[in-house]
Amino acid sequence: MTARNVARRLAEKLLEKGYRLVSGGTDTHLLVMDFRDTPYSGKDVAQALAKAGIIANFNMVPGDPRKPFVTSGVRLGTPALTTRGMKEPEMDRIAAWIDTVCRNLERIEEVAPRVRAEIAELCRQFPPPGILI
């Protein structure tokens, strides 16, 4: 299983949930969510994801109307996940967590602790290589 195939699964799941992705998906280990048509910036979403334990970067999208320090996109990558041994089933769960965060941005302070705890449990099942937990 490659990071690219796992990223494709994550992209498919996010598309199924109604999110826009730059280029409509991914052919690499990266994907960029497009929030141009929402009131939220890429920075807003990336910060909310971080509170919930998901690290992403806010990123410009083609034709981005927002400034580079705010952006309309969020970039996600899968190499850190596949290095830990995560595959398609885990991407389904991660897409669901991303969806939970994105649909609850106004209530992130109350939603984030639950999502963070669930992510921590998943990460315990997939420790980084060479680290005993």
Side-chain angles (χ1 to χ4, degrees), residues 11-115:
E12 289 169 8
K13 292 298 172 181
L14 290 171
L15 288 168
E16 286 174 12
K17 294 177 184 307
Y19 293 97
R20 283 182 47 185
L21 302 179
V22 171
S23 77
T26 185
D27 289 326
T28 69
H29 60 284
L30 298 171
L31 58 105
V32 179
M33 298 177 74
D34 184 345
F35 291 94
R36 275 182 291 187
D37 295 338
T38 75
Y40 302 105
S41 70
K43 187 174 185 178
D44 295 332
V45 176
Q47 289 175 337
L49 288 168
K51 287 179 183 180
I54 299 170
I55 304 305
N57 299 90
F58 55 97
N59 205 84
M60 298 289 288
V61 298
D64 203 326
R66 293 185 172 114
K67 297 185 187 271
F69 294 110
V70 179
T71 79
S72 295
V74 173
R75 185 182 66 206
L76 302 164
T78 57
L81 305 174
T82 55
T83 297
R84 294 177 85 132
M86 294 185 196
K87 296 182 177 155
E88 283 99 339
E90 290 75 36
M91 294 312 104
D92 297 354
R93 292 179 68 192
I94 292 167
W97 289 321
I98 292 169
D99 183 49
T100 296
V101 168
C102 291
R103 293 191 191 282
N104 292 285
L105 290 169
E106 297 294 327
R107 302 180 21 228
I108 194 60
E109 298 302 330
E110 71 184 75
V111 172
R114 177 184 58 82
V115 173

